Amino acid sequence: MFKPCLNKIVSEAESEVELLVSPGAQSKHRRYLQDPLVSIDLSEQLRIKEFFLEGLQVYGSLFHINHGNPFNMEVLVDSWPKYQMVITRPQKQEMTDDMDSYTNVYRIFSKDPQKSQEVLKNSEIINWKQKLQIQGFQESLGEGIRAAAFSNSVKVEHSRALLLITEDVLKLHATNKSKLGSWAETGHPDDELESETPNFKYAQLNVSYSGLVNDNWKLGMNKRSLRYIKRCLGALPAACMLGPEGVPVSWVTMDPSCEIGMGYSVEKYRRRGNATRMMVRYMKYLCQKNIPFYGSVLEENQGVIRKTSALGFLEASCQWHQWTCYPQNLVPL
């Protein structure tokens, strides 16, 4: 039995993560999947105990849901108040393009991943008629995903990456006072940064550069990815270093689950430290605003791993996983 819980915020207290419902945040999008259901008291708390790392992706998604919900997401739990699984997904009016796997993304945390099959095969929860992505930090979700996909005649491709976190995120205490804030609040570049890089300027990466990001993103370079990037840059923190010509030469973005990515540096300006200085400023801003963040990198990409390690990123005990699902009529040739 699944029900939606909308407009959550997240906080960590010692070894426990609490997903708190914003007081008075009743949503017009409240919708029940099955009846009868017990109504959710918006003053109650949804807790993920002892699973902070494995639930970090859901944690990040809930942060953005609570701060304006720019991607019109919703949250589902299997039971209340004692739940086993949490799923975040776009509201159905967002998932109108069956081929848009940038939008059709489900992020999952489960206390008992081996028992996820019955939930996942429900077409009211996962729209198996679309090309979609299921993401999570629990490899054991895979068995249930593959079984549910098979029962719906869907092909599944699995990919994995190292999960990168920082000690600041592990210590994060997000409250209802956390806010994305304004980029004007980031302050002026440090004197040291300005003196070292007089021809380069740290700045917000705004929507006008969506095409530039799309053209240099290995997973993009198409119309759907461009639309997705525009939404990310329009709603979420993203940063760049402007070069002597006044256009970005290095940049980084954030996705709806607080993953930072799409990082790129123009070849002409590589190995000058611009990307490192940009990331230091960007991470400082996120920490100041109490915004959770994490990254992922392929294990074979040792160059990026060394650079992120120098920035203070640590390899988590769990990994980043994605299951890309194709209905039979949408399987790529």
Side-chain angles (χ1 to χ4, degrees):
M1 184 167 63
F2 252 70
K3 66 183 82 174
C5 326
L6 299 180
N7 298 310
K8 302 281 194 281
I9 60 176
V10 188
S11 68
E12 181 186 8
E14 297 176 351
S15 63
E16 182 175 280
V17 176
E18 298 177 342
L19 309 186
L20 307 174
V21 184
S22 301
Q26 184 66 264
S27 171
K28 65 181 180 181
H29 299 298
R30 174 177 294 279
R31 183 175 55 80
Y32 295 127
L33 297 181
Q34 296 186 21
D35 289 317
L37 291 170
V38 178
S39 178
I40 298 173
D41 183 345
L42 292 184
S43 66
E44 292 186 24
Q45 299 176 354
L46 174 63
R47 300 172 183 266
I48 298 180
K49 299 181 180 180
E50 302 173 4
F51 295 103
F52 179 56
L53 282 179
E54 293 184 349
L56 180 57
Q57 194 174 52
V58 169
Y59 182 111
S61 300
L62 293 174
F63 179 90
H64 287 313
I65 289 173
N66 189 68
H67 293 81
N69 198 7
F71 285 79
N72 294 324
M73 307 290 286
E74 62 184 1
V75 187
L76 306 179
V77 294
D78 57 335
S79 61
W80 190 265
K82 295 182 178 181
Y83 70 95
Q84 293 297 311
M85 184 181 292
V86 184
I87 299 175
T88 65
R89 69 179 188 188
Q91 295 172 20
K92 285 194 174 181
Q93 64 267 27
E94 290 290 321
M95 297 189 288
T96 57
D97 183 348
D98 289 343
M99 291 296 293
D100 187 2
S101 58
Y102 301 98
T103 298
N104 306 334
V105 179
Y106 302 75
R107 297 179 173 93
I108 300 177
F109 165 78
S110 177
K111 294 180 180 178
D112 193 354
Q114 287 79 10
K115 296 182 179 180
S116 61
Q117 177 181 346
E118 289 303 311
V119 170
L120 295 176
K121 72 180 183 182
N122 186 338
S123 60
E124 286 294 319
I125 296 170
I126 307 290
N127 185 354
W128 292 107
K129 295 180 180 180
Q130 296 183 322
K131 179 183 177 183
L132 59 90
Q133 295 178 1
I134 299 175
Q135 297 179 357
F137 296 162
Q138 298 167 291
E139 185 174 11
S140 49
L141 286 168
E143 182 177 351
I145 291 171
R146 285 186 288 269
F150 179 80
S151 68
N152 285 277
S153 301
V154 170
K155 178 184 177 181
V156 178
E157 293 180 355
H158 175 234
S159 56
R160 74 175 70 208
L162 300 179
L163 173 62
L164 303 178
I165 56 172
T166 66
E167 289 187 1
D168 289 325
V169 169
L170 291 175
K171 298 173 183 177
L172 184 66
H173 181 74
T175 69
N176 57 2
K177 295 181 181 179
S178 301
K179 59 180 181 178
L180 296 182
S182 166
W183 277 94
E185 298 174 18
T186 60
H188 300 288
D190 299 331
D191 291 339
E192 181 180 355
L193 177 63
E194 289 240 304
S195 62
E196 288 182 359
T197 57
N199 296 320
F200 297 87
K201 180 181 179 182
Y202 176 81
Q204 175 186 2
L205 182 66
N206 61 47
V207 176
S208 66
Y209 297 116
S210 299
L212 180 64
V213 176
N214 188 47
D215 291 343
N216 292 282
W217 185 31
K218 291 182 179 180
L219 302 178
M221 305 182 191
N222 61 74
K223 291 182 180 180
R224 291 185 177 91
S225 61
L226 178 60
R227 183 169 62 242
Y228 169 71
I229 290 169
K230 285 181 177 179
R231 292 190 73 176
C232 289
L233 296 187
L236 307 177
C240 69
M241 288 292 281
L242 299 176
E245 297 84 7
V247 297
V249 298
S250 295
W251 58 82
V252 65
T253 70
M254 176 173 279
D255 83 354
S257 71
C258 288
E259 179 172 0
I260 56 178
M262 301 188 210
Y264 187 82
S265 291
V266 176
E267 187 171 2
K268 177 181 176 181
Y269 295 102
R270 292 175 187 172
R271 292 175 291 279
R272 299 190 184 187
N274 289 316
T276 298
R277 286 186 281 268
M278 173 194 68
M279 284 298 298
V280 169
R281 290 290 308 278
Y282 183 59
M283 292 165 62
K284 181 179 178 181
Y285 169 81
L286 297 177
C287 291
Q288 287 176 342
K289 296 302 176 183
N290 229 3
I291 303 171
F293 63 93
Y294 66 93
S296 63
V297 61
L298 295 176
E299 191 168 4
E300 60 267 26
N301 201 338
Q302 291 299 311
V304 173
I305 292 173
R306 285 193 295 271
K307 291 176 182 178
T308 54
S309 177
L311 287 166
F313 281 93
L314 308 170
E315 182 181 339
S317 55
C318 52
Q319 293 188 322
W320 179 98
H321 295 274
Q322 178 173 282
W323 294 268
T324 303
C325 305
Y326 306 87
Q328 291 295 332
N329 63 317
L330 298 179
V331 173
L333 300 177

